[in-house]
């Protein structure tokens, strides 16, 4: 039986993980590390840029892509979730000025 096709989210996370491991990478390098076809990779990079997870930079006339700090946090979250880490350990993902409090829903009459 064949393995199920990975979801877009899983592929996005693979791209982010590849960028996290190798910092600045060209599209060709990302494609080799993730085994994602070039057409999907280009669309995924555009999507990840719009979400402020990936940043495009020009170095010595070469376009490279890097994770943004937000991209690093998202990658760390999903890697930890796949390893079974509890969500309580990810309070640092919240903005610095956020407070965590329990909330109750109002009772409908």
């Amino acid at each position: 039986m064949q393995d199920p096709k990975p979801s877009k989210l899983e592929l996005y996370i693979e791209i982010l993980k590849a960028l996290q491991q190798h910092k600045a990478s060209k599209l060709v390098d990302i494609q080799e590390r993730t085994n994602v076809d070039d057409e999907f990779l280009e669309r995924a990079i555009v999507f990840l840029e719009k979400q402020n997870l990936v940043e495009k930079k020009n170095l010595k006339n070469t376009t490279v892509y890097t994770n943004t700090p937000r991209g690093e946090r998202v990658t760390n979250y999903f890697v930890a979730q796949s390893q079974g880490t509890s969500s309580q350990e990810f309070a640092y993902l919240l903005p610095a000025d956020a407070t965590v409090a329990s909330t109750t829903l109002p009772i409908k009459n």
Side-chain angles (χ1 to χ4, degrees), residues 50-92:
K50 287 180 182 178
Q51 300 302 315
N52 194 27
L53 299 171
V54 171
E55 181 178 45
K56 182 193 305 188
K57 295 182 180 180
N58 291 318
L59 299 175
K60 299 180 184 177
N61 297 326
T62 303
T63 301
V64 295
Y65 297 89
T66 61
N67 276 350
T68 62
R70 182 176 185 212
E72 295 277 337
R73 287 192 309 269
V74 168
T75 306
N76 291 338
Y77 174 80
F78 279 101
V79 167
Q81 288 298 314
S82 69
Q83 295 172 350
T85 307
S86 74
S87 60
Q88 293 296 325
E89 297 176 28
F90 284 95
Y92 72 89

Side-chain angles (χ1 to χ4, degrees), residues 7 11 31 37 53 65 104 109:
S7 69
L11 294 173
Q31 185 177 9
D37 68 36
L53 299 171
Y65 297 89
T104 57
N109 291 333

